[in-house]
Amino acid sequence: RKALGGFVTGAMFSSLTCVFIVANAVFIGLEANVSMDRVIHARHDSSDIDPNIPGWYEQVEIAFTRVFAVEMLLRILALNIEFFTGAEWHWNLFDSVLVILSLIPIVMDMTALNMGLFSAFRTLKILRTFRMLRLLRFIRSLRSLRLMLLALAQGLVPFFWAIFFLLFIMYIFALILMQGVVEHVGNLSSNAYVVEELTVYFHSLPMALLTLFLSVSGGVSWWDVGELLLDISVVYLLLFTLFVVILLLAVMNMITGIFVNDSLEMAGMDRDIRAQADKQRNLDHVHLLQQLFVQLDTDGSGQLTLEELEDTLFSDEVMATFSMVNLEVSDAVSFFKILDVDESCSLEIEEFVVGCMRLRGSVNTVDFETLARENKRMMKKYSQQIHLVASKVELVYKSLADLHIHLGSTTDLVKP
C-alpha cells in the first residue's frame, strides 16, 4: 500500500490523469461536432443518412469512463480513509460524483434498463463535460492560472457590488433621458424616423438600461444613440456623453483597480503562489550569480582569486548584479574570506554561488533577535567566568597573605 500511495501521489500519476482528462475533453468536442454535422446533413440532404454517431464513439467514451473509474479506485486504495477526510477531500468527492454519474448510463445499457422512467438518466451524459473541471485540481504548478482563479474567487463580492453601482448610475441616467424621450415622442411635430428609433431604444425602462449598457460595452455604437438624442436637445446629448465618459474612464478603471488590488493581496496570502514565486526568484538569482562568476573570472580558469575579485568588484555592472540579488558588498577582502569556506584562497563557481545565496538579503527580525539572544547568553557566560576567576584570584590573594603572615611569624622565631 505504501508503494501504491507513492505512485498515486506522484507526479507521473497526476500527469497521466491530466493527459486522459485533456484527451477526453478533445474527444467530447469531436463527438459534438460530428453529431451536429450528421444531424444537419440528415435533415437537409437525405433522410437515408443516419443522424446517430457511429458506435465506436460510444465505445471510446466507455473506455474513458473505465479509466477514470480505475483512477478513482486506485486513489481510494492508496489513501484509504484519507480519500474522504484529507486536504483534497472536496476534489475527491467531486471526482467520485462525476465517475458515478458517468457509470449510470453504462450500467443501464448493460442491464437493458433504458426504457420508461430510466431513460431520463441518459441525459446524465451531459455531465461528462464537467470532467474538464478536474484539471483545476492540478493548477498548483501553473502559477498564472492559479492566480487568475484565486482573483476570480476573491473578486466575487466586489464584482456584485460593481454591478450594483453600474446599475445605479445607469438607472439615474436612464430616467433623465427617458423624460426627454417622452416629451419628444409626445410632440406631434417631431421627426417620425427619430421617434421610431427612440421608441426602439427607450420604449421601456429595462430597454433604456439595456441601451445604456450596450452603448458602453460595444453592443451599440454610442453615436447612433447620441445622434437621436441630439434631435431632442444638445443637453441630452451632453448628458449621454457624460454618462459614457463616467463609465468608460472613471468607473471601469476604478473597478479594474479594485480587482487588481484584490488579486495582488490574494497572491501574497496564497502559500503555493508565494512558494512558486520564491522558487523562481531563487533560480533567477542563481543564474545571475553564475553569469557574474564567469564575468569575474577574467582568466577563465574556473577559479576566482582575491585579486580578480578586487579588480572588478566595484564596477557598476557587478554592483548592479549584487543589488539585483539583494546582496550588499562593501569590502572585497572580507567578502572573499567569508565565501572561501575551505580556505583554499580561490573560489569555485559552486562555492561562489552558494555563498552569495547564503549572504543575500537583509537581516530580519528573527535573525536580529537570535543574535541578541546569543550575545546575551555569551555575556552571561563570560560574566560567570569572570566572577569565577575573581573568586579564585581572591582565594590566591588570601593564601599569599596567610603565607606572608606565616613566614613573618617564623622569621620572628628564628631571630637572634
Side-chain angles (χ1 to χ4, degrees):
R1 176 173 294 180
K2 185 176 181 181
L4 180 61
F7 172 71
V8 168
T9 58
M12 180 179 294
F13 187 80
S14 300
S15 301
L16 288 175
T17 304
C18 289
V19 170
F20 278 108
I21 294 175
V22 173
N24 185 228
V26 174
F27 174 77
I28 292 174
L30 178 63
E31 183 182 356
N33 185 73
V34 172
S35 300
M36 180 59 68
D37 184 67
R38 293 177 71 89
V39 168
I40 292 175
H41 281 79
R43 184 176 181 86
H44 294 90
D45 296 343
S46 173
S47 59
D48 296 335
I49 299 179
D50 186 6
N52 297 319
I53 61 175
W56 66 269
Y57 279 90
E58 190 72 21
Q59 297 302 319
V60 173
E61 178 59 31
I62 293 175
F64 275 117
T65 302
R66 290 175 177 174
V67 168
F68 293 132
V70 171
E71 180 243 346
M72 184 184 71
L73 181 61
L74 289 176
R75 289 184 183 275
I76 294 176
L77 293 176
L79 301 178
N80 205 350
I81 191 64
E82 217 179 298
F83 182 85
F84 303 99
T85 60
E88 296 187 348
W89 68 268
H90 46 288
W91 282 113
N92 295 331
L93 179 62
F94 178 71
D95 294 347
S96 302
V97 171
L98 288 181
V99 171
I100 293 174
L101 293 179
S102 300
L103 289 173
I104 291 177
I106 299 177
V107 175
M108 289 168 51
D109 289 337
M110 294 175 61
T111 57
L113 295 175
N114 55 2
M115 301 297 293
L117 180 62
F118 290 98
S119 62
F121 285 101
R122 300 183 68 85
T123 58
L124 293 174
K125 289 184 177 181
I126 301 175
L127 297 177
R128 61 184 180 174
T129 308
F130 291 97
R131 289 175 182 170
M132 291 179 286
L133 295 177
R134 299 181 61 201
L135 289 173
L136 298 180
R137 73 182 297 173
F138 303 106
I139 64 173
R140 290 186 175 180
S141 58
L142 304 176
R143 180 182 170 222
S144 299
L145 179 58
R146 181 179 179 87
L147 179 58
M148 290 175 59
L149 293 176
L150 288 174
L152 181 61
Q154 179 72 11
L156 285 179
V157 174
F159 174 73
F160 286 113
W161 281 112
I163 292 178
F164 173 78
F165 186 59
L166 290 176
L167 288 175
F168 178 72
I169 295 178
M170 289 191 297
Y171 183 79
I172 294 176
F173 279 92
L175 292 179
I176 296 174
L177 297 178
M178 285 188 68
Q179 293 177 9
V181 172
V182 168
E183 293 180 2
H184 190 72
V185 172
N187 189 354
L188 299 179
S189 61
S190 300
N191 187 299
Y193 172 77
V194 175
V195 170
E196 182 179 356
E197 292 295 319
L198 286 173
T199 304
V200 172
Y201 288 120
F202 295 95
H203 68 268
S204 65
L205 180 59
M207 188 61 198
L209 292 172
L210 180 60
T211 299
L212 294 180
F213 174 74
L214 293 176
S215 299
V216 296
S217 61
V220 173
S221 174
W222 73 271
W223 176 243
D224 291 343
V225 180
E227 190 175 11
L228 297 175
L229 295 174
L230 179 61
D231 194 73
I232 301 176
S233 173
V234 67
V235 175
Y236 287 99
L237 175 60
L238 292 176
L239 287 173
F240 180 68
T241 305
L242 178 63
F243 164 78
V244 174
V245 171
I246 290 176
L247 256 69
L248 291 182
L249 300 183
V251 178
M252 294 300 183
N253 288 333
M254 179 182 66
I255 294 175
T256 303
I258 293 174
F259 277 98
V260 170
N261 183 64
D262 290 342
S263 301
L264 294 176
E265 290 182 357
M266 179 59 68
M269 292 185 295
D270 187 79
R271 291 179 297 178
D272 291 330
I273 291 181
R274 293 191 64 178
Q276 292 177 13
D278 292 339
K279 181 179 179 180
Q280 184 61 44
R281 189 184 307 110
N282 289 336
L283 291 176
D284 294 339
H285 287 178
V286 169
H287 183 64
L288 286 174
L289 291 172
Q290 289 174 343
Q291 292 180 334
L292 180 61
F293 180 87
V294 175
Q295 180 181 349
L296 295 175
D297 185 19
T298 55
D299 59 359
S301 61
Q303 301 284 335
L304 180 62
T305 62
L306 177 60
E307 292 75 14
E308 291 176 329
L309 182 65
E310 289 177 330
D311 292 340
T312 56
L313 177 62
F314 296 105
S315 64
D316 294 338
E317 187 175 356
V318 173
M319 295 305 294
T321 303
F322 279 133
S323 178
M324 292 174 63
V325 298
N326 199 18
L327 182 62
E328 295 183 3
V329 180
S330 57
D331 181 65
V333 177
S334 301
F335 179 64
F336 186 86
K337 289 182 178 180
I338 293 175
L339 297 182
D340 188 19
V341 292
D342 58 357
E343 298 182 354
S344 61
C345 296
S346 63
L347 299 175
E348 297 181 353
I349 185 169
E350 293 83 3
E351 195 175 10
F352 177 79
V353 173
V354 173
C356 290
M357 293 291 291
R358 187 180 67 251
L359 296 175
R360 67 193 175 103
S362 57
V363 179
N364 53 37
T365 306
V366 176
D367 294 335
F368 181 79
E369 291 295 332
T370 302
L371 182 60
R373 183 178 179 181
E374 185 68 18
N375 288 337
K376 185 177 180 180
R377 187 183 66 83
M378 294 298 295
M379 290 297 296
K380 184 177 180 180
K381 181 178 179 180
Y382 290 152
S383 177
Q384 292 175 352
Q385 291 180 350
I386 290 174
H387 286 299
L388 180 62
V389 171
S391 61
K392 291 183 177 181
V393 169
E394 184 177 0
L395 181 62
V396 171
Y397 177 77
K398 289 182 179 181
S399 299
L400 291 175
D402 294 341
L403 180 61
H404 177 71
I405 295 173
H406 178 70
L407 291 176
S409 60
T410 303
T411 304
D412 292 338
L413 291 174
V414 299
K415 194 174 184 179

